[in-house]
Amino acid sequence: MDTSALDALKLLAGSDLPGLIVVDRHSRPMTILPGTQVLRMAIPRYCIDDPTLARVVDEEHADDFLHDLADRTVEQCLPQQTRELAFVGPEGTVLEIAALMARTRTPLVVVSIGQDMLGAITLDALVDRMLLT
Amino acid sequence: MDTSALDALKLLAGSDLPGLIVVDRHSRPMTILPGTQVLRMAIPRYCIDDPTLARVVDEEHADDFLHDLADRTVEQCLPQQTRELAFVGPEGTVLEIAALMARTRTPLVVVSIGQDMLGAITLDALVDRMLLT
C-alpha cells in the first residue's frame, strides 16, 4: 500500500506476472491489480475517460506523468469503488478459480485463509492445469 | 472466428501473450480477448454468475466442460454485447495506448488502418517503453 506507484509499475515490468497483489504493512493481501489497472495509476483520469484528450498530450508532457507517479503511493492511486476481490480459499476448485478470474477480469488470484495469504495462482498456471486433465 | 474454443485456449497457454486477437477468414481483426475472457469461454455461464454453483461442480465433471469446448467455435463463444475495442491507429501515442488499455482492461492492443492489422502492442512492451523514457 505504501510503495510508490512508480515502483509498482517497475515491479510489474520486471516480473513475469499479469498483475500485482497489494499488501498492507503486515503483508496481508488487500487487493489485486491486473496489469491494466497498475498501468491506470500512471495515467491522468481525464485521459482515461476521453481518448481525444490522451491524443493531444504530446510525448514530452506524457513523461511528466511518470515523474508525478514517484510522489504517490499505491494506496493513493487505488480505485475508490470496491469491487469483488479475486480471493479464494485453499479448498477452491479449478472451475471456481476459473470462474472467479473470468468474472473479476483478474488474471491473478490470491489463495488465503482469512487475512493470511498462502499463495497466488496465475491465469497461465490455471490454464496449463486445465489442459493437462 | 472459426477456430475451436479449445484450440484458442491451447493457443493462449502455449503463447507468451496476455490475450488473443480474433480475426475473420481474411485475417482482419474483429476483437481482442484478454486472457480472462478466453478463459471465460471454457466456463458455463451459471458458474461465472454464481460462485456457489462453481464450487459444487466436482473436478470430474469440470473436465466435461473442456470436452464441450472442442465443438464450439470462438465466434459462438464471443460475448453478445459489443464493447469498446482496443484498436489504435499507427499515429497513436504512448499515453493514448496506455489509456486505451486501462479503460478497456485489455493488455493487448491492435494497431490497424481501417480493417488492416499492422501489428499489436502488449502491456509489457508498452510499460517497458514508458519506463525507458
Side-chain angles (χ1 to χ4, degrees):
Chain A
M1 292 289 257
D2 53 4
T3 302
S4 86
L6 182 61
D7 285 343
L9 197 64
K10 287 179 179 171
L11 187 61
L12 181 76
S15 78
D16 198 27
L17 288 172
L20 295 177
I21 299 164
V22 182
V23 296
D24 69 7
R25 286 168 194 204
H26 307 286
S27 296
R28 289 178 302 209
M30 303 305 287
T31 190
I32 304 164
L33 294 176
T36 56
Q37 302 314 294
V38 178
L39 185 60
R40 175 184 281 265
M41 299 194 298
I43 311 163
R45 176 147 206 105
Y46 65 85
C47 287
I48 292 179
D49 296 337
D50 188 339
T52 324
L53 287 176
R55 208 168 295 147
V56 297
V57 177
D58 58 34
E59 297 276 326
E60 189 186 337
H61 286 95
D63 292 346
D64 293 342
F65 300 125
L66 277 185
H67 295 305
D68 294 345
L69 263 192
D71 298 327
R72 284 181 296 152
T73 66
V74 168
E75 185 168 19
Q76 289 169 327
C77 296
L78 286 181
Q80 293 299 314
Q81 72 271 39
T82 51
R83 299 169 54 231
E84 182 189 1
L85 292 175
F87 284 29
V88 74
E91 310 292 325
T93 65
V94 168
L95 188 61
E96 185 182 349
I97 297 166
L100 186 62
M101 284 184 180
R103 191 171 58 248
T104 59
R105 297 179 171 266
T106 305
L108 186 65
V109 158
V110 165
V111 184
S112 63
I113 299 183
Q115 293 189 314
D116 293 322
M117 179 161 56
L118 303 179
I121 297 169
T122 63
L123 181 122
D124 280 350
L126 186 80
V127 171
D128 284 348
R129 170 67 181 74
M130 288 171 76
L131 293 175
L132 272 178
T133 55
Chain B
M1 292 289 255
D2 52 5
T3 302
S4 85
L6 182 61
D7 286 343
L9 197 63
K10 287 179 179 171
L11 187 61
L12 181 76
S15 77
D16 197 27
L17 288 172
L20 295 177
I21 298 165
V22 182
V23 297
D24 69 8
R25 288 170 191 202
H26 307 286
S27 295
R28 288 178 303 210
M30 304 304 287
T31 190
I32 304 164
L33 293 177
T36 56
Q37 303 313 293
V38 179
L39 184 61
R40 174 185 282 265
M41 299 194 298
I43 311 163
R45 177 151 205 102
Y46 64 86
C47 287
I48 293 179
D49 296 337
D50 188 340
T52 324
L53 286 176
R55 209 168 294 148
V56 296
V57 177
D58 58 35
E59 297 276 326
E60 191 186 337
H61 286 95
D63 292 346
D64 292 342
F65 300 126
L66 276 185
H67 295 303
D68 294 345
L69 263 192
D71 298 327
R72 284 181 296 152
T73 65
V74 168
E75 185 168 19
Q76 290 169 328
C77 296
L78 286 181
Q80 294 299 315
Q81 72 271 37
T82 51
R83 300 170 53 233
E84 181 189 2
L85 292 176
F87 283 30
V88 72
E91 311 291 325
T93 65
V94 167
L95 188 61
E96 184 182 348
I97 297 167
L100 186 62
M101 285 183 178
R103 191 169 59 246
T104 61
R105 297 179 171 265
T106 305
L108 186 64
V109 158
V110 164
V111 184
S112 64
I113 301 184
Q115 293 189 313
D116 294 322
M117 179 162 56
L118 302 179
I121 298 169
T122 63
L123 181 122
D124 279 351
L126 186 80
V127 171
D128 283 348
R129 170 68 181 73
M130 288 171 75
L131 294 175
L132 272 177
T133 55

